[in-house]
Amino acid sequence: MAQMAQVAPGAVAVLATAPVVPRNGDSDYPYRHDSAFYYLTGFTEPDSVLVLVAARGAAPARAILFCRDKHAEREIWDGYRHGPDGARMAYGFDAAYSIDELDAEMAGLLANVPALYYALGHSAALDAQVKRWLDQLRRQSRGGIEAPATARDLLPLIDEMRLFKDGAEQALMQRAATISALAHTRAMRASRPGLYEYEIEAELLYEFRRHGAQFPAYPPIVAGGANACVLHYQQNRARVLDGELVLIDAGCELDGYAADITRTYPVNGRYSAPQRTLYELVLAAQQAALAAVRPGARYAGIHEAAVRVLAQGMLDTGLLQAHVVGNVDDVIAEQRYLQFYMHGTGHWLGMDVHDVGQYRDLATPCKPSRPLQPGMVLTVEPGIYVRPAAGVPEQYWNIGIRIEDDVLVGAAGHTVLSAAAPKTVAEIEQCMRAAP
């Protein structure tokens, strides 16, 4: 109930989980709970709503769940349901009711409270329910019943909490990263010229499930050759040819927490000279970015460190011509590097792959990049993507490289959670030579 200490005494917060989404016919998409709801409850069943009541005076704070009833026939078809009584006992809620009682109970729970917190605009269905609850209370005003005077967004409060991972969350994310690293290693060892991208993807998915991960954290990217220059490539259906690189961006989800790792390797097991040149440039950029991950350092410094190394490398390799674009400071000031590096160098990581939490210090008037603090987890993922173009050396055409790791900010520095995935040229080539 610590989250309710941030709201007005007696205020009520309402949070619904995600709905079941039909896929086609009588089939649904695999169910995935709402991340914020799961963060506060640990409860994974659909058709559930959490209500939190803040302490006021002698009245203690309360956590109330509304969920599906027990249903013998539906449990035969769809599996076990806790039911209100079972959920209350298993998860420690102060009270639990049938989801069918939500409207009736909310009339009493919201009467004469100072504020209502919920995910404003997040769900049209919940917005409509809230309107009905407030309209019902307003019709009782002559009897001395007052509706909440204010409605506020609940999610920013939860987002800030989720940004900082405790010890149990860190251990879970380490396990997710380790499983994902094993999957990348398996994919490298299984690769050979002539395979289709989806065949390599299958190796990833097998390793995820073999170690107990419930889902991929996002649709895996397995991009061979020129496909690696498409940042969100997801078709995974082309054949990978001898001499091409394979870029794999993939991570598993384990017990609600995501990993997110990218590795780029030669399908035939050896980097060509141009591939190696660009790969080691991206690796150097990542090393510079990782050196910027420490408590007190600004988040933006990670990207700035990577960009400086990449920009200088673009000049050194001839991707950018100094007589046209100037020196490295000119390249950065005029953002000439965007031709070959057009995305940020990372993002928060947690229950969501692109996890919640502000990137700027909104309490400061100029809103600077926020300082890193222990418990934050983020990705560090520089890259370089060379499409054919006039003035670009042909030896680099259609090479796309990204190197991404999951990084925990610690008390004195950082820990790379995904360190088990081969990353240097020597490590990757050795891994692929060891393939059966």
Side-chain angles (χ1 to χ4, degrees), residues 175-206:
R175 179 61 180 156
T178 298
I179 293 171
S180 300
L182 290 171
H184 278 264
T185 302
R186 182 185 185 91
M188 289 179 191
R189 289 177 173 163
S191 293
R192 61 184 184 275
L195 288 182
Y196 285 94
E197 292 162 342
Y198 58 75
E199 294 180 271
I200 300 172
E201 179 185 11
E203 303 291 339
L204 298 165
L205 300 178
Y206 172 81

PDB file of all heavy atoms in Angstrom, residues 175-206:
ATOM      1  N   ARG A 175      17.782 -13.147 -14.808  1.00  0.00           N
ATOM      2  CA  ARG A 175      17.439 -14.457 -15.344  1.00  0.00           C
ATOM      3  C   ARG A 175      16.886 -14.329 -16.764  1.00  0.00           C
ATOM      4  O   ARG A 175      17.246 -15.114 -17.656  1.00  0.00           O
ATOM      5  CB  ARG A 175      16.420 -15.146 -14.429  1.00  0.00           C
ATOM      6  CG  ARG A 175      15.957 -16.513 -14.903  1.00  0.00           C
ATOM      7  CD  ARG A 175      17.089 -17.499 -15.012  1.00  0.00           C
ATOM      8  NE  ARG A 175      16.631 -18.815 -15.464  1.00  0.00           N
ATOM      9  CZ  ARG A 175      17.409 -19.709 -16.067  1.00  0.00           C
ATOM     10  NH1 ARG A 175      18.687 -19.451 -16.281  1.00  0.00           N
ATOM     11  NH2 ARG A 175      16.913 -20.871 -16.443  1.00  0.00           N
ATOM     12  N   ALA A 176      16.022 -13.348 -16.999  1.00  0.00           N
ATOM     13  CA  ALA A 176      15.486 -13.141 -18.340  1.00  0.00           C
ATOM     14  C   ALA A 176      16.599 -12.821 -19.333  1.00  0.00           C
ATOM     15  O   ALA A 176      16.604 -13.319 -20.474  1.00  0.00           O
ATOM     16  CB  ALA A 176      14.458 -12.019 -18.328  1.00  0.00           C
ATOM     17  N   ALA A 177      17.561 -12.004 -18.908  1.00  0.00           N
ATOM     18  CA  ALA A 177      18.678 -11.658 -19.782  1.00  0.00           C
ATOM     19  C   ALA A 177      19.562 -12.873 -20.053  1.00  0.00           C
ATOM     20  O   ALA A 177      20.057 -13.066 -21.176  1.00  0.00           O
ATOM     21  CB  ALA A 177      19.498 -10.531 -19.169  1.00  0.00           C
ATOM     22  N   THR A 178      19.766 -13.705 -19.047  1.00  0.00           N
ATOM     23  CA  THR A 178      20.592 -14.901 -19.227  1.00  0.00           C
ATOM     24  C   THR A 178      19.941 -15.876 -20.197  1.00  0.00           C
ATOM     25  O   THR A 178      20.602 -16.438 -21.082  1.00  0.00           O
ATOM     26  CB  THR A 178      20.845 -15.575 -17.870  1.00  0.00           C
ATOM     27  OG1 THR A 178      21.557 -14.670 -17.019  1.00  0.00           O
ATOM     28  CG2 THR A 178      21.656 -16.843 -18.030  1.00  0.00           C
ATOM     29  N   ILE A 179      18.639 -16.094 -20.051  1.00  0.00           N
ATOM     30  CA  ILE A 179      17.921 -16.966 -20.990  1.00  0.00           C
ATOM     31  C   ILE A 179      18.031 -16.408 -22.406  1.00  0.00           C
ATOM     32  O   ILE A 179      18.294 -17.140 -23.377  1.00  0.00           O
ATOM     33  CB  ILE A 179      16.448 -17.111 -20.583  1.00  0.00           C
ATOM     34  CG1 ILE A 179      16.328 -17.880 -19.265  1.00  0.00           C
ATOM     35  CG2 ILE A 179      15.643 -17.796 -21.686  1.00  0.00           C
ATOM     36  CD1 ILE A 179      14.928 -17.885 -18.692  1.00  0.00           C
ATOM     37  N   SER A 180      17.867 -15.108 -22.541  1.00  0.00           N
ATOM     38  CA  SER A 180      17.933 -14.482 -23.861  1.00  0.00           C
ATOM     39  C   SER A 180      19.328 -14.585 -24.449  1.00  0.00           C
ATOM     40  O   SER A 180      19.493 -14.782 -25.664  1.00  0.00           O
ATOM     41  CB  SER A 180      17.498 -13.017 -23.756  1.00  0.00           C
ATOM     42  OG  SER A 180      16.166 -12.931 -23.278  1.00  0.00           O
ATOM     43  N   ALA A 181      20.352 -14.470 -23.601  1.00  0.00           N
ATOM     44  CA  ALA A 181      21.727 -14.624 -24.079  1.00  0.00           C
ATOM     45  C   ALA A 181      21.968 -16.045 -24.574  1.00  0.00           C
ATOM     46  O   ALA A 181      22.641 -16.263 -25.597  1.00  0.00           O
ATOM     47  CB  ALA A 181      22.704 -14.266 -22.963  1.00  0.00           C
ATOM     48  N   LEU A 182      21.424 -17.030 -23.874  1.00  0.00           N
ATOM     49  CA  LEU A 182      21.539 -18.420 -24.332  1.00  0.00           C
ATOM     50  C   LEU A 182      20.862 -18.601 -25.688  1.00  0.00           C
ATOM     51  O   LEU A 182      21.349 -19.341 -26.548  1.00  0.00           O
ATOM     52  CB  LEU A 182      20.906 -19.360 -23.300  1.00  0.00           C
ATOM     53  CG  LEU A 182      21.650 -19.506 -21.967  1.00  0.00           C
ATOM     54  CD1 LEU A 182      20.799 -20.281 -20.967  1.00  0.00           C
ATOM     55  CD2 LEU A 182      22.995 -20.201 -22.164  1.00  0.00           C
ATOM     56  N   ALA A 183      19.726 -17.917 -25.878  1.00  0.00           N
ATOM     57  CA  ALA A 183      19.015 -18.016 -27.150  1.00  0.00           C
ATOM     58  C   ALA A 183      19.836 -17.405 -28.286  1.00  0.00           C
ATOM     59  O   ALA A 183      19.902 -17.959 -29.390  1.00  0.00           O
ATOM     60  CB  ALA A 183      17.657 -17.335 -27.042  1.00  0.00           C
ATOM     61  N   HIS A 184      20.471 -16.262 -28.042  1.00  0.00           N
ATOM     62  CA  HIS A 184      21.320 -15.657 -29.065  1.00  0.00           C
ATOM     63  C   HIS A 184      22.499 -16.568 -29.398  1.00  0.00           C
ATOM     64  O   HIS A 184      22.865 -16.730 -30.572  1.00  0.00           O
ATOM     65  CB  HIS A 184      21.815 -14.292 -28.593  1.00  0.00           C
ATOM     66  CG  HIS A 184      20.840 -13.185 -28.790  1.00  0.00           C
ATOM     67  ND1 HIS A 184      20.861 -12.350 -29.890  1.00  0.00           N
ATOM     68  CD2 HIS A 184      19.784 -12.772 -28.041  1.00  0.00           C
ATOM     69  CE1 HIS A 184      19.875 -11.484 -29.801  1.00  0.00           C
ATOM     70  NE2 HIS A 184      19.203 -11.701 -28.683  1.00  0.00           N
ATOM     71  N   THR A 185      23.077 -17.177 -28.384  1.00  0.00           N
ATOM     72  CA  THR A 185      24.189 -18.092 -28.609  1.00  0.00           C
ATOM     73  C   THR A 185      23.746 -19.288 -29.439  1.00  0.00           C
ATOM     74  O   THR A 185      24.433 -19.727 -30.371  1.00  0.00           O
ATOM     75  CB  THR A 185      24.768 -18.559 -27.267  1.00  0.00           C
ATOM     76  OG1 THR A 185      25.190 -17.422 -26.502  1.00  0.00           O
ATOM     77  CG2 THR A 185      25.950 -19.491 -27.467  1.00  0.00           C
ATOM     78  N   ARG A 186      22.589 -19.824 -29.106  1.00  0.00           N
ATOM     79  CA  ARG A 186      22.049 -20.956 -29.871  1.00  0.00           C
ATOM     80  C   ARG A 186      21.833 -20.567 -31.337  1.00  0.00           C
ATOM     81  O   ARG A 186      22.154 -21.340 -32.257  1.00  0.00           O
ATOM     82  CB  ARG A 186      20.738 -21.431 -29.247  1.00  0.00           C
ATOM     83  CG  ARG A 186      20.133 -22.632 -29.966  1.00  0.00           C
ATOM     84  CD  ARG A 186      18.774 -23.008 -29.398  1.00  0.00           C
ATOM     85  NE  ARG A 186      18.307 -24.231 -30.038  1.00  0.00           N
ATOM     86  CZ  ARG A 186      18.530 -25.454 -29.583  1.00  0.00           C
ATOM     87  NH1 ARG A 186      19.183 -25.627 -28.446  1.00  0.00           N
ATOM     88  NH2 ARG A 186      18.089 -26.525 -30.237  1.00  0.00           N
ATOM     89  N   ALA A 187      21.282 -19.373 -31.558  1.00  0.00           N
ATOM     90  CA  ALA A 187      21.024 -18.929 -32.927  1.00  0.00           C
ATOM     91  C   ALA A 187      22.324 -18.795 -33.713  1.00  0.00           C
ATOM     92  O   ALA A 187      22.401 -19.187 -34.885  1.00  0.00           O
ATOM     93  CB  ALA A 187      20.266 -17.609 -32.910  1.00  0.00           C
ATOM     94  N   MET A 188      23.348 -18.241 -33.081  1.00  0.00           N
ATOM     95  CA  MET A 188      24.644 -18.137 -33.762  1.00  0.00           C
ATOM     96  C   MET A 188      25.159 -19.511 -34.172  1.00  0.00           C
ATOM     97  O   MET A 188      25.604 -19.720 -35.309  1.00  0.00           O
ATOM     98  CB  MET A 188      25.663 -17.465 -32.840  1.00  0.00           C
ATOM     99  CG  MET A 188      25.443 -15.995 -32.592  1.00  0.00           C
ATOM    100  SD  MET A 188      26.702 -15.345 -31.455  1.00  0.00           S
ATOM    101  CE  MET A 188      26.013 -13.732 -31.076  1.00  0.00           C
ATOM    102  N   ARG A 189      25.095 -20.448 -33.258  1.00  0.00           N
ATOM    103  CA  ARG A 189      25.652 -21.777 -33.523  1.00  0.00           C
ATOM    104  C   ARG A 189      24.840 -22.550 -34.561  1.00  0.00           C
ATOM    105  O   ARG A 189      25.384 -23.416 -35.256  1.00  0.00           O
ATOM    106  CB  ARG A 189      25.738 -22.565 -32.217  1.00  0.00           C
ATOM    107  CG  ARG A 189      26.822 -22.034 -31.290  1.00  0.00           C
ATOM    108  CD  ARG A 189      26.875 -22.765 -29.971  1.00  0.00           C
ATOM    109  NE  ARG A 189      28.034 -22.339 -29.194  1.00  0.00           N
ATOM    110  CZ  ARG A 189      28.196 -22.548 -27.898  1.00  0.00           C
ATOM    111  NH1 ARG A 189      27.240 -23.188 -27.213  1.00  0.00           N
ATOM    112  NH2 ARG A 189      29.276 -22.130 -27.272  1.00  0.00           N
ATOM    113  N   ALA A 190      23.556 -22.241 -34.673  1.00  0.00           N
ATOM    114  CA  ALA A 190      22.709 -22.942 -35.639  1.00  0.00           C
ATOM    115  C   ALA A 190      22.774 -22.325 -37.023  1.00  0.00           C
ATOM    116  O   ALA A 190      22.319 -22.934 -37.994  1.00  0.00           O
ATOM    117  CB  ALA A 190      21.264 -22.941 -35.144  1.00  0.00           C
ATOM    118  N   SER A 191      23.343 -21.128 -37.135  1.00  0.00           N
ATOM    119  CA  SER A 191      23.301 -20.400 -38.402  1.00  0.00           C
ATOM    120  C   SER A 191      24.303 -20.950 -39.414  1.00  0.00           C
ATOM    121  O   SER A 191      25.402 -21.385 -39.061  1.00  0.00           O
ATOM    122  CB  SER A 191      23.584 -18.917 -38.154  1.00  0.00           C
ATOM    123  OG  SER A 191      22.539 -18.317 -37.424  1.00  0.00           O
ATOM    124  N   ARG A 192      23.884 -20.875 -40.661  1.00  0.00           N
ATOM    125  CA  ARG A 192      24.762 -21.218 -41.782  1.00  0.00           C
ATOM    126  C   ARG A 192      24.134 -20.602 -43.032  1.00  0.00           C
ATOM    127  O   ARG A 192      22.926 -20.356 -43.088  1.00  0.00           O
ATOM    128  CB  ARG A 192      24.909 -22.732 -41.938  1.00  0.00           C
ATOM    129  CG  ARG A 192      23.624 -23.475 -42.223  1.00  0.00           C
ATOM    130  CD  ARG A 192      23.818 -24.975 -42.274  1.00  0.00           C
ATOM    131  NE  ARG A 192      22.581 -25.667 -42.637  1.00  0.00           N
ATOM    132  CZ  ARG A 192      21.640 -26.007 -41.780  1.00  0.00           C
ATOM    133  NH1 ARG A 192      21.790 -25.712 -40.483  1.00  0.00           N
ATOM    134  NH2 ARG A 192      20.552 -26.639 -42.197  1.00  0.00           N
ATOM    135  N   PRO A 193      24.951 -20.345 -44.049  1.00  0.00           N
ATOM    136  CA  PRO A 193      24.411 -19.743 -45.271  1.00  0.00           C
ATOM    137  C   PRO A 193      23.278 -20.593 -45.855  1.00  0.00           C
ATOM    138  O   PRO A 193      23.330 -21.825 -45.848  1.00  0.00           O
ATOM    139  CB  PRO A 193      25.618 -19.704 -46.206  1.00  0.00           C
ATOM    140  CG  PRO A 193      26.803 -19.653 -45.293  1.00  0.00           C
ATOM    141  CD  PRO A 193      26.416 -20.498 -44.107  1.00  0.00           C
ATOM    142  N   GLY A 194      22.254 -19.916 -46.348  1.00  0.00           N
ATOM    143  CA  GLY A 194      21.138 -20.596 -46.995  1.00  0.00           C
ATOM    144  C   GLY A 194      19.926 -20.799 -46.112  1.00  0.00           C
ATOM    145  O   GLY A 194      18.844 -21.120 -46.615  1.00  0.00           O
ATOM    146  N   LEU A 195      20.067 -20.618 -44.794  1.00  0.00           N
ATOM    147  CA  LEU A 195      18.901 -20.732 -43.914  1.00  0.00           C
ATOM    148  C   LEU A 195      17.970 -19.538 -44.124  1.00  0.00           C
ATOM    149  O   LEU A 195      18.399 -18.440 -44.479  1.00  0.00           O
ATOM    150  CB  LEU A 195      19.324 -20.770 -42.448  1.00  0.00           C
ATOM    151  CG  LEU A 195      20.008 -22.023 -41.916  1.00  0.00           C
ATOM    152  CD1 LEU A 195      20.289 -21.859 -40.433  1.00  0.00           C
ATOM    153  CD2 LEU A 195      19.151 -23.263 -42.153  1.00  0.00           C
ATOM    154  N   TYR A 196      16.705 -19.774 -43.862  1.00  0.00           N
ATOM    155  CA  TYR A 196      15.754 -18.668 -43.841  1.00  0.00           C
ATOM    156  C   TYR A 196      15.787 -18.015 -42.458  1.00  0.00           C
ATOM    157  O   TYR A 196      16.098 -18.665 -41.447  1.00  0.00           O
ATOM    158  CB  TYR A 196      14.341 -19.159 -44.161  1.00  0.00           C
ATOM    159  CG  TYR A 196      14.127 -19.470 -45.620  1.00  0.00           C
ATOM    160  CD1 TYR A 196      14.299 -20.770 -46.104  1.00  0.00           C
ATOM    161  CD2 TYR A 196      13.765 -18.459 -46.507  1.00  0.00           C
ATOM    162  CE1 TYR A 196      14.111 -21.050 -47.451  1.00  0.00           C
ATOM    163  CE2 TYR A 196      13.568 -18.742 -47.855  1.00  0.00           C
ATOM    164  CZ  TYR A 196      13.754 -20.032 -48.324  1.00  0.00           C
ATOM    165  OH  TYR A 196      13.577 -20.305 -49.656  1.00  0.00           O
ATOM    166  N   GLU A 197      15.448 -16.743 -42.458  1.00  0.00           N
ATOM    167  CA  GLU A 197      15.445 -15.997 -41.192  1.00  0.00           C
ATOM    168  C   GLU A 197      14.527 -16.661 -40.174  1.00  0.00           C
ATOM    169  O   GLU A 197      14.840 -16.708 -38.974  1.00  0.00           O
ATOM    170  CB  GLU A 197      15.014 -14.547 -41.444  1.00  0.00           C
ATOM    171  CG  GLU A 197      16.024 -13.749 -42.254  1.00  0.00           C
ATOM    172  CD  GLU A 197      15.435 -12.498 -42.870  1.00  0.00           C
ATOM    173  OE1 GLU A 197      14.179 -12.401 -42.971  1.00  0.00           O
ATOM    174  OE2 GLU A 197      16.207 -11.616 -43.269  1.00  0.00           O
ATOM    175  N   TYR A 198      13.394 -17.199 -40.611  1.00  0.00           N
ATOM    176  CA  TYR A 198      12.470 -17.822 -39.668  1.00  0.00           C
ATOM    177  C   TYR A 198      13.037 -19.102 -39.073  1.00  0.00           C
ATOM    178  O   TYR A 198      12.657 -19.485 -37.953  1.00  0.00           O
ATOM    179  CB  TYR A 198      11.099 -18.062 -40.305  1.00  0.00           C
ATOM    180  CG  TYR A 198      11.084 -18.918 -41.554  1.00  0.00           C
ATOM    181  CD1 TYR A 198      11.250 -20.303 -41.496  1.00  0.00           C
ATOM    182  CD2 TYR A 198      10.863 -18.331 -42.796  1.00  0.00           C
ATOM    183  CE1 TYR A 198      11.216 -21.081 -42.646  1.00  0.00           C
ATOM    184  CE2 TYR A 198      10.832 -19.105 -43.954  1.00  0.00           C
ATOM    185  CZ  TYR A 198      11.009 -20.476 -43.865  1.00  0.00           C
ATOM    186  OH  TYR A 198      10.979 -21.243 -45.009  1.00  0.00           O
ATOM    187  N   GLU A 199      13.926 -19.764 -39.772  1.00  0.00           N
ATOM    188  CA  GLU A 199      14.564 -20.945 -39.192  1.00  0.00           C
ATOM    189  C   GLU A 199      15.471 -20.547 -38.025  1.00  0.00           C
ATOM    190  O   GLU A 199      15.545 -21.256 -37.006  1.00  0.00           O
ATOM    191  CB  GLU A 199      15.370 -21.685 -40.260  1.00  0.00           C
ATOM    192  CG  GLU A 199      14.524 -22.300 -41.370  1.00  0.00           C
ATOM    193  CD  GLU A 199      15.369 -23.021 -42.392  1.00  0.00           C
ATOM    194  OE1 GLU A 199      15.818 -22.374 -43.367  1.00  0.00           O
ATOM    195  OE2 GLU A 199      15.588 -24.239 -42.223  1.00  0.00           O
ATOM    196  N   ILE A 200      16.151 -19.425 -38.166  1.00  0.00           N
ATOM    197  CA  ILE A 200      16.991 -18.922 -37.074  1.00  0.00           C
ATOM    198  C   ILE A 200      16.106 -18.438 -35.931  1.00  0.00           C
ATOM    199  O   ILE A 200      16.407 -18.673 -34.748  1.00  0.00           O
ATOM    200  CB  ILE A 200      17.910 -17.804 -37.591  1.00  0.00           C
ATOM    201  CG1 ILE A 200      18.805 -18.336 -38.712  1.00  0.00           C
ATOM    202  CG2 ILE A 200      18.743 -17.227 -36.448  1.00  0.00           C
ATOM    203  CD1 ILE A 200      19.626 -17.266 -39.418  1.00  0.00           C
ATOM    204  N   GLU A 201      14.999 -17.782 -36.272  1.00  0.00           N
ATOM    205  CA  GLU A 201      14.057 -17.339 -35.240  1.00  0.00           C
ATOM    206  C   GLU A 201      13.556 -18.519 -34.409  1.00  0.00           C
ATOM    207  O   GLU A 201      13.392 -18.409 -33.183  1.00  0.00           O
ATOM    208  CB  GLU A 201      12.874 -16.622 -35.885  1.00  0.00           C
ATOM    209  CG  GLU A 201      11.825 -16.141 -34.890  1.00  0.00           C
ATOM    210  CD  GLU A 201      10.606 -15.542 -35.567  1.00  0.00           C
ATOM    211  OE1 GLU A 201      10.467 -15.669 -36.808  1.00  0.00           O
ATOM    212  OE2 GLU A 201       9.779 -14.947 -34.851  1.00  0.00           O
ATOM    213  N   ALA A 202      13.319 -19.651 -35.047  1.00  0.00           N
ATOM    214  CA  ALA A 202      12.820 -20.828 -34.334  1.00  0.00           C
ATOM    215  C   ALA A 202      13.793 -21.269 -33.248  1.00  0.00           C
ATOM    216  O   ALA A 202      13.373 -21.768 -32.191  1.00  0.00           O
ATOM    217  CB  ALA A 202      12.558 -21.956 -35.313  1.00  0.00           C
ATOM    218  N   GLU A 203      15.089 -21.116 -33.488  1.00  0.00           N
ATOM    219  CA  GLU A 203      16.084 -21.476 -32.468  1.00  0.00           C
ATOM    220  C   GLU A 203      15.943 -20.586 -31.240  1.00  0.00           C
ATOM    221  O   GLU A 203      16.061 -21.051 -30.095  1.00  0.00           O
ATOM    222  CB  GLU A 203      17.494 -21.358 -33.052  1.00  0.00           C
ATOM    223  CG  GLU A 203      17.751 -22.201 -34.287  1.00  0.00           C
ATOM    224  CD  GLU A 203      17.781 -23.696 -33.990  1.00  0.00           C
ATOM    225  OE1 GLU A 203      18.001 -24.076 -32.823  1.00  0.00           O
ATOM    226  OE2 GLU A 203      17.599 -24.493 -34.942  1.00  0.00           O
ATOM    227  N   LEU A 204      15.691 -19.311 -31.463  1.00  0.00           N
ATOM    228  CA  LEU A 204      15.476 -18.377 -30.351  1.00  0.00           C
ATOM    229  C   LEU A 204      14.259 -18.794 -29.525  1.00  0.00           C
ATOM    230  O   LEU A 204      14.333 -18.891 -28.287  1.00  0.00           O
ATOM    231  CB  LEU A 204      15.250 -16.957 -30.881  1.00  0.00           C
ATOM    232  CG  LEU A 204      16.364 -16.279 -31.665  1.00  0.00           C
ATOM    233  CD1 LEU A 204      15.813 -15.070 -32.396  1.00  0.00           C
ATOM    234  CD2 LEU A 204      17.497 -15.863 -30.735  1.00  0.00           C
ATOM    235  N   LEU A 205      13.139 -19.007 -30.208  1.00  0.00           N
ATOM    236  CA  LEU A 205      11.896 -19.310 -29.507  1.00  0.00           C
ATOM    237  C   LEU A 205      12.007 -20.613 -28.730  1.00  0.00           C
ATOM    238  O   LEU A 205      11.479 -20.729 -27.611  1.00  0.00           O
ATOM    239  CB  LEU A 205      10.740 -19.371 -30.509  1.00  0.00           C
ATOM    240  CG  LEU A 205      10.480 -18.079 -31.306  1.00  0.00           C
ATOM    241  CD1 LEU A 205       9.342 -18.288 -32.292  1.00  0.00           C
ATOM    242  CD2 LEU A 205      10.191 -16.915 -30.376  1.00  0.00           C
ATOM    243  N   TYR A 206      12.690 -21.591 -29.298  1.00  0.00           N
ATOM    244  CA  TYR A 206      12.887 -22.855 -28.596  1.00  0.00           C
ATOM    245  C   TYR A 206      13.644 -22.639 -27.294  1.00  0.00           C
ATOM    246  O   TYR A 206      13.264 -23.167 -26.236  1.00  0.00           O
ATOM    247  CB  TYR A 206      13.649 -23.829 -29.490  1.00  0.00           C
ATOM    248  CG  TYR A 206      14.062 -25.102 -28.772  1.00  0.00           C
ATOM    249  CD1 TYR A 206      13.160 -26.143 -28.598  1.00  0.00           C
ATOM    250  CD2 TYR A 206      15.349 -25.252 -28.253  1.00  0.00           C
ATOM    251  CE1 TYR A 206      13.526 -27.306 -27.929  1.00  0.00           C
ATOM    252  CE2 TYR A 206      15.719 -26.399 -27.581  1.00  0.00           C
ATOM    253  CZ  TYR A 206      14.812 -27.420 -27.421  1.00  0.00           C
ATOM    254  OH  TYR A 206      15.174 -28.560 -26.749  1.00  0.00           O
TER     255      TYR A 206
END
